[in-house]
Amino acid sequence: MAGREHTSKHYEEQLRLLKDKLLLMSHQAEQMISDAMRALAERRPSLADEVISRDDILDKLEVEIDTLCYQVLALEQPVASDLRFIATALKIVRDIERIGDLAVNIAERARELIQEPELKKLIALPMMGEAAERILKESLDAYVNSDADLAETVIKKDKEVDDLYEQIFRELLTYMIED
């Protein structure tokens, strides 16, 4: 019985560690998006370079989370709800890593655009970046805390980002037609 109790405590610690690592990875991705957008808006190549260099941290966290998920699956025989949590974590971690890759892409484009004459300010661009960051944070919070109401709210907020994207696209198209 004592061995079973230890396994149960270890199991709970593993799940808590998994949640913590997911939140850390999500925070890193949020910060990368924020900094990439700032590098673009403020024309800061050093900040863009910093975002690019942080991609390795996100990649390392992805591997750590994957490894932890597979260890829990193999050694702890998780119950149904925990099994769903772990299976979803394996999917989410790839999405978060992809968000980091997109931040790197923004940073790389920022480095290129900084060399060009500045465009008119795109007011919707920082707004879109901030909205995307909020969605990322809130969606992971909803997942980790099993908060269905927050998840529904996040789904509705996605339209806000889509609308801002369309607005930015129209603005840029107008600039291109003018020049």
Side-chain angles (χ1 to χ4, degrees):
M1 188 75 163
R4 184 105 171 107
E5 190 175 296
H6 174 72
T7 302
S8 177
K9 190 174 191 177
H10 181 260
Y11 175 69
E12 293 300 321
E13 288 172 2
Q14 294 293 85
L15 290 178
R16 190 172 304 110
L17 180 60
L18 176 57
K19 287 179 182 181
D20 290 347
K21 283 189 179 285
L22 278 168
L23 290 171
L24 175 62
M25 187 177 183
S26 175
H27 176 72
Q28 292 288 334
E30 287 171 48
Q31 195 61 51
M32 287 173 71
I33 290 288
S34 175
D35 289 346
M37 296 298 290
R38 277 193 13 243
L40 178 61
E42 298 171 12
R43 302 175 66 83
R44 294 176 52 193
S46 62
L47 186 55
D49 290 340
E50 186 181 313
V51 169
I52 293 166
S53 71
R54 280 190 263 154
D55 190 43
D56 291 339
I57 295 169
L58 220 55
D59 292 344
K60 183 179 178 215
L61 280 167
E62 179 188 18
V63 170
E64 289 175 11
I65 291 169
D66 277 350
T67 301
L68 184 56
C69 285
Y70 290 122
Q71 285 175 347
V72 172
L73 287 171
L75 302 175
E76 302 293 344
Q77 301 173 349
V79 295
S81 62
D82 293 339
L83 186 59
R84 284 189 298 274
F85 178 83
I86 294 164
T88 305
L90 287 166
K91 292 179 182 180
I92 288 174
V93 73
R94 279 163 194 56
D95 291 334
I96 297 171
E97 194 279 329
R98 186 166 177 270
I99 290 167
D101 289 344
L102 292 171
V104 168
N105 290 345
I106 293 169
E108 289 171 343
R109 296 304 77 76
R111 285 193 326 198
E112 293 170 10
L113 290 171
I114 288 167
Q115 308 304 316
E116 300 295 325
E118 188 170 8
L119 282 173
K120 295 177 184 175
K121 292 284 184 201
L122 295 173
I123 295 173
L125 191 62
M127 290 170 47
M128 186 175 78
E130 290 169 9
E133 289 170 49
R134 278 193 310 276
I135 287 172
L136 174 59
K137 180 185 183 321
E138 290 174 359
S139 62
L140 201 63
D141 286 348
Y143 165 68
V144 167
N145 297 314
S146 300
D147 187 338
D149 292 334
L150 182 56
E152 287 292 327
T153 301
V154 170
I155 290 168
K156 291 174 185 168
K157 288 182 180 180
D158 186 54
K159 182 163 176 20
E160 175 186 345
V161 175
D162 292 342
D163 292 345
L164 288 168
Y165 173 81
E166 287 180 29
Q167 179 183 340
I168 292 166
F169 185 81
R170 283 191 308 271
E171 283 181 54
L172 288 173
L173 198 56
T174 302
Y175 293 154
M176 288 169 55
I177 289 170
E178 290 174 358
D179 186 4

